[in-house]
C-alpha cells in the first residue's frame, strides 16, 4: 500500500507544504510517487463490460449479433425485450451488455439508430424509485440540455421500469470503479472538466430534488457501526458550520451527477459524455469531487488537484467536501465489506468474477484478494479523510 494525497487543507490560511507524514493541520501533504501503482480493485462496474477495442458497453462498438435466449436467463431477457418493444416497437436487440444484479442492459437498434435499452428486474419500491428518477432526468434533458453530452432519450415507461436511450460513441474512461492503474492524465483532465461543467449548471427549479439527507445518513452509518461517536460529532459540527456560513439560506447547494465515476464517462473527439443519471440532484458542494477522489487512489496528482478545487470557495466549501468524502468512503467500505464477506462464504472458481454482495455499486469485481486489497486502501483513505475532518473542526 502507498499513502494517498490528503483530501484537503484543514487551516484557513496557506502554509508551506511539509513532507508527507509530517504535515501539520494546515498543509496539503504531497506523498512520494509510488514505484508501482496500486494493484487492488475489481472488475468492470455493473453495466460496463471489460474494455474491448477502446470502447465500452454504452458507446458504439461492433456488435456480435449473438443473443442467447435459452434457459432461465433467456426467459428474463425475452421478458425484457417484450417490455422494450411495448414502448419502442422498432427496437431490435443485438447484444446483451449486462445481465447482472437487478437490471438487464441490451444493445440494439431503433430504426437506423444505435440504442441501449435498460430494464429493471427488481421492482421493489426503492429500486423502482431510483429508476423513475433516472427516467425523469433524461426527460428533463430533452428541453433543458446540460453543458455536457448526454444520451438522447428515445422512449421510457416509468411504470414498467424500462428505458431506451441513444448509444453514444466513445470509450469509457475506466472499466473499473476503482482502477488498478491511473488513466492517462489527459483523460482525467477531460473528466474533471466535464464534472465541473455539470456542477456549475443551474437546471430549472423543481426539476431535481436532494437525494441525500445528510443528518439522517450520518446517523444511519453511526448506527451501523461505520462511524465512531467522534466521527459523528465532528461531521455534525462541520454540517452546522456549513449551514451557518451562508446566512439564513446556508451554503448554496450544488447540482451534481451523483455518481461521477470514470465508469460513467465516455470519451470521444467531440467531448466527454456522462451516462447513468439515476443519482442526479442537489448536494452540498463537492459531492462529485469527493466521488472522483475516492476512486483515484492510483492517481495522487489528480487527487491533489481535486483537493485544491474543493478549497477554492473557502472554508465552508472545504468542509462540505469533507462531509461528502466521509459519506462516499463509508458507503464504499460498506459495499466492499459485504462483497468480501460473500466471497469468503462462496469462493469463486479460478478466473471467475466474484459476487458483489447484492449491491450494484460494487460492479463486477475480480478476485477475493483484490477485493481485500481495495478494502484496505479504502480504510486508509477513510483514515486520511477522518484526520482532515478533525483538523478542520479544530480550526473552527
Amino acid at each position: 500500500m502507498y499513502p494517498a494525497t490528503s483530501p484537503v487543507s484543514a487551516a484557513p490560511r496557506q502554509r508551506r507544504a511539509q513532507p508527507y507524514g509530517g504535515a501539520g493541520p494546515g498543509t496539503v501533504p504531497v506523498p512520494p510517487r509510488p514505484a508501482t501503482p496500486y494493484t487492488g480493485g475489481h472488475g468492470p462496474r455493473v453495466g460496463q463490460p471489460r474494455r474491448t477495442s477502446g470502447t465500452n458497453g454504452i458507446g458504439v462498438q461492433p456488435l456480435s449479433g449473438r443473443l442467447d435466449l435459452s434457459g432461465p436467463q433467456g426467459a428474463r431477457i425475452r421478458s425484457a425485450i417484450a417490455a422494450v418493444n411495448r414502448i419502442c416497437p422498432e427496437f431490435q436487440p443485438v447484444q446483451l451488455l449486462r445481465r447482472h444484479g437487478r437490471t438487464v442492459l441490451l444493445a440494439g437498434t431503433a430504426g437506423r439508430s444505435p440504442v441501449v435499452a435498460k430494464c429493471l428486474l427488481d421492482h421493489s419500491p426503492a429500486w423502482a424509485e431510483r429508476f423513475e428518477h433516472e427516467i425523469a432526468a433524461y426527460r428533463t434533458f430533452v428541453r433543458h440540455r446540460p453543458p455536457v453530452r448526454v444520451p438522447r432519450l428515445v422512449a421510457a415507461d416509468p411504470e414498467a421500469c424500462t428505458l431506451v436511450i441513444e448509444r453514444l460513441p466513445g470509450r469509457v474512461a475506466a472499466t473499473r470503479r476503482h482502477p488498478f492503474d491511473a488513466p492517462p492524465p489527459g483523460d482525467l483532465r477531460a473528466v474533471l472538466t466535464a464534472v465541473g461543467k455539470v456542477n456549475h449548471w443551474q437546471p430549472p427549479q423543481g426539476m431535481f430534488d436532494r437525494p441525500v439527507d445528510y443528518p439522517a445518513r450520518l446517523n444511519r452509518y453511526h448506527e451501523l457501526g461505520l462511524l465512531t461517536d467522534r466521527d459523528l460529532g465532528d461531521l455534525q459540527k462541520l454540517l452546522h458550520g456549513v449551514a451557518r456560513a451562508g446566512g439564513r439560506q446556508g451554503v448554496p447547494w450544488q447540482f451534481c451527477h451523483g455518481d461521477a465515476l470514470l465508469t460513467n464517462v465516455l470519451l470521444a473527439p467531440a467531448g466527454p459524455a456522462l451516462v447513468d443519471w439515476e443519482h442526479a440532484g442537489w448536494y452540498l458542494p463537492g459531492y462529485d469531487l469527493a466521488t472522483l477522489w475516492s476512486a483515484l487512489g492510483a492517481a495522487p496528482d489528480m487527487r491533489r488537484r481535486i483537493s485544491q478545487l474543493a478549497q477554492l470557495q473557502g472554508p465552508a466549501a472545504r468542509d462540505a467536501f469533507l462531509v461528502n468524502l466521509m459519506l462516499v468512503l463509508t458507503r464504499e467500505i460498506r459495499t466492499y465489506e459485504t462483497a468480501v464477506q460473500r466471497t469468503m462464504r462462496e469462493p469463486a472458481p479460478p478466473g471467475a468474477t466474484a459476487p458483489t454482495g447484492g449491491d450494484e455499486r460494487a460492479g463486477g469485481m475480480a478476485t477475493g484478494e483484490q477485493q481485500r486489497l481495495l478494502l484496505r486502501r479504502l480504510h486508509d483513505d477513510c483514515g486520511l479523510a477522518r484526520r482532515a475532518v478533525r483538523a478542520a473542526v479544530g480550526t473552527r
Side-chain angles (χ1 to χ4, degrees):
M1 302 298 295
Y2 64 87
T5 304
S6 174
V8 297
S9 170
R13 66 179 185 273
Q14 296 290 331
R15 298 182 186 176
R16 188 177 64 181
Q18 301 175 11
Y20 185 78
T27 64
V28 179
V30 179
R33 184 177 298 275
T36 57
Y38 173 74
T39 57
H42 60 78
R45 181 184 186 273
V46 174
Q48 306 288 354
R50 296 185 183 278
R51 181 179 299 184
T52 57
S53 303
T55 59
N56 80 323
I58 300 297
V60 174
Q61 64 178 343
L63 299 179
S64 67
R66 299 177 181 177
L67 199 60
D68 184 6
L69 301 179
S70 62
Q73 176 172 288
R76 294 189 176 186
I77 297 174
R78 288 195 300 271
S79 176
I81 293 173
V84 175
N85 285 143
R86 282 194 290 271
I87 65 171
C88 185
E90 64 272 26
F91 175 73
Q92 294 293 328
V94 179
Q95 185 182 33
L96 177 67
L97 299 178
R98 175 181 70 205
R99 167 57 190 97
H100 186 90
R102 295 172 171 84
T103 58
V104 168
L105 201 67
L106 294 162
T109 59
R112 296 183 177 180
S113 302
V115 297
V116 171
K118 184 176 182 180
C119 299
L120 183 66
L121 301 177
D122 181 356
H123 286 205
S124 59
W127 289 98
E129 181 180 358
R130 181 180 297 180
F131 202 93
E132 292 171 4
H133 182 82
E134 183 174 12
I135 291 176
Y138 281 113
R139 284 179 170 172
T140 298
F141 297 156
V142 172
R143 291 191 176 185
H144 307 281
R145 301 293 295 179
V148 295
R149 294 168 63 237
V150 297
R152 176 179 57 87
L153 177 66
V154 176
D157 183 354
E159 293 185 1
C161 295
T162 304
L163 172 67
V164 182
I165 58 175
E166 172 189 17
R167 194 171 192 227
L168 292 175
R171 60 181 177 81
V172 70
T175 57
R176 299 176 185 271
R177 187 175 182 87
H178 296 267
F180 292 166
D181 303 321
D187 289 0
L188 294 180
R189 287 193 295 269
V191 171
L192 193 58
T193 298
V195 169
K197 290 180 179 179
V198 171
N199 296 158
H200 285 92
W201 186 46
Q202 294 287 325
Q205 292 294 326
M207 294 295 181
F208 293 92
D209 56 11
R210 297 181 177 183
V212 175
D213 182 335
Y214 283 87
R217 183 71 61 86
L218 290 176
N219 286 327
R220 179 187 175 196
Y221 285 165
H222 178 253
E223 291 171 358
L224 292 172
L226 300 171
L227 295 175
T228 66
D229 292 344
R230 181 172 179 180
D231 290 336
L232 179 63
D234 287 345
L235 292 170
Q236 287 175 336
K237 289 178 183 177
L238 291 187
L239 276 181
H240 182 65
V242 169
R244 289 191 308 169
R248 293 185 61 184
Q249 299 299 321
V251 171
W253 287 57
Q254 183 181 71
F255 181 75
C256 293
H257 177 277
D259 200 20
L261 295 163
L262 301 179
T263 50
N264 288 331
V265 182
L266 302 178
L267 300 175
L274 271 65
V275 299
D276 286 355
W277 290 85
E278 62 193 58
H279 301 284
W282 296 95
Y283 295 79
L284 287 180
Y287 189 88
D288 281 346
L289 292 180
T291 302
L292 271 177
W293 193 97
S294 71
L296 293 178
D301 290 341
M302 185 53 63
R303 277 189 165 183
R304 186 179 303 110
R305 174 60 180 158
I306 291 172
S307 299
Q308 293 169 351
L309 290 175
Q311 301 175 79
L312 289 179
Q313 302 303 317
R318 174 206 66 191
D319 292 351
F321 169 77
L322 287 173
V323 172
N324 286 321
L325 186 59
M326 282 295 293
L327 287 182
V328 169
L329 288 171
T330 302
R331 179 197 68 203
E332 295 294 294
I333 288 173
R334 182 189 181 199
T335 297
Y336 283 91
E337 283 182 342
T338 301
V340 169
Q341 290 170 4
R342 174 163 294 194
T343 301
M344 293 176 65
R345 292 195 304 267
E346 304 172 5
T353 57
T356 64
D359 192 328
E360 288 193 301
R361 282 184 174 274
M365 295 190 225
T367 66
E369 179 61 22
Q370 289 172 329
Q371 292 180 43
R372 287 186 285 272
L373 287 172
L374 175 58
L375 188 57
R376 286 177 56 193
R377 198 205 79 193
L378 289 171
H379 277 289
D380 289 345
D381 289 345
C382 195
L384 282 172
R386 180 176 289 110
R387 290 192 291 273
V389 166
R390 292 175 179 176
V393 170
T395 64
R396 288 197 164 276

